[in-house]
């Protein structure tokens, strides 16, 4: 009988729901549980995969979402991360409210399969960095060659 008891498994519980940080996020009382789940996935990515420092969760009263604040490394500036399920819409005013917090902002789109895509948001337009290495527009070059042969 003891072997039968050992092979019986206790009912499995979702470990995410039991995690202290997830519980802390729930206590912030934001409206949507999907956004809390997205925030937790981003939290785990920042802390366990990317090893960011001082990751904490805060409530945005205006947006009713969980925001994350973190440092990429010790001594680095604080970033605000807005985790958002991909199906949830976002307006310019919402982005402006997060940018007005005064920290660099990352928008993190969270897909239903837990894929995370980070996008750095800025206040205004930023000139992109030039491409690294040799860059040629082969299509235009071929088009010019064809015109010259005619």
């Amino acid at each position: 009988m003891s072997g039968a008891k050992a092979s019986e498994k206790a009912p499995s519980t979702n470990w995410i729901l039991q995690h202290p940080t997830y519980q802390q996020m729930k206590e912030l009382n934001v409206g949507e549980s999907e956004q809390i789940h997205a925030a937790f996935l981003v939290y785990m990515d920042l802390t366990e995969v990317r090893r960011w420092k001082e990751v904490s969760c805060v409530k945005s009263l205006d947006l009713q979402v969980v925001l994350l604040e973190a440092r990429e490394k010790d001594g680095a500036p604080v970033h605000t991360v807005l985790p958002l399920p991909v199906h949830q819409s976002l307006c310019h005013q919402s982005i402006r409210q997060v940018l007005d917090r005064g920290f660099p902002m990352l928008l993190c789109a969270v897909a239903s399969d837990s894929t995370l895509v980070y996008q750095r948001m800025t206040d205004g337009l930023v000139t992109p960095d030039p491409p690294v290495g040799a860059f040629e527009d082969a299509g235009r070059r071929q088009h010019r060659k064809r015109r010259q042969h005619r």
Side-chain angles (χ1 to χ4, degrees):
M1 281 286 208
S2 64
K5 285 184 181 178
S7 66
E8 290 178 23
K9 291 185 178 179
S12 65
T13 58
N14 186 341
W15 68 271
I16 291 175
L17 302 176
Q18 307 304 316
H19 196 282
T21 302
Y22 185 84
Q23 293 295 322
Q24 182 184 5
M25 289 177 181
K26 278 181 57 175
E27 290 171 5
L28 294 175
N29 293 321
V30 297
E32 200 172 313
S33 64
E34 283 185 75
Q35 199 273 327
I36 294 171
H37 182 75
F40 182 74
L41 293 177
V42 174
Y43 170 85
M44 293 300 291
D45 182 59
L46 292 176
T47 58
E48 300 298 324
V49 178
R50 299 175 188 277
R51 300 286 187 205
W52 280 35
K53 309 296 181 196
E54 302 173 32
V55 181
S56 61
C57 54
V58 294
K59 178 180 181 176
S60 169
L61 295 173
D62 297 327
L63 302 176
Q64 288 297 304
V65 295
V66 174
L67 298 173
L68 299 172
E69 290 181 349
R71 296 179 190 276
E72 194 168 356
K73 56 187 174 187
D74 288 327
V78 173
H79 284 72
T80 300
V81 182
L82 172 57
L84 211 58
V86 291
H87 69 273
Q88 192 170 341
S89 62
L90 188 65
C91 66
H92 292 272
Q93 182 180 6
S94 300
I95 295 170
R96 167 64 35 215
Q97 287 174 338
V98 177
L99 284 169
D100 285 347
R101 296 172 54 84
F103 301 124
M105 178 188 170
L106 293 172
L107 173 65
C108 184
V110 181
S112 59
D113 66 354
S114 300
T115 300
L116 305 177
V117 178
Y118 292 91
Q119 179 66 47
R120 188 172 309 277
M121 306 300 284
T122 61
D123 189 7
L125 297 175
V126 176
T127 305
D129 293 332
V132 177
F135 176 75
E136 295 181 28
D137 187 355
R140 288 185 147 226
R141 205 173 75 208
Q142 291 293 343
H143 182 69
R144 271 189 252 135
K145 283 182 181 179
R146 278 188 226 129
R147 279 195 302 181
Q148 289 172 355
H149 290 290
R150 289 182 188 181

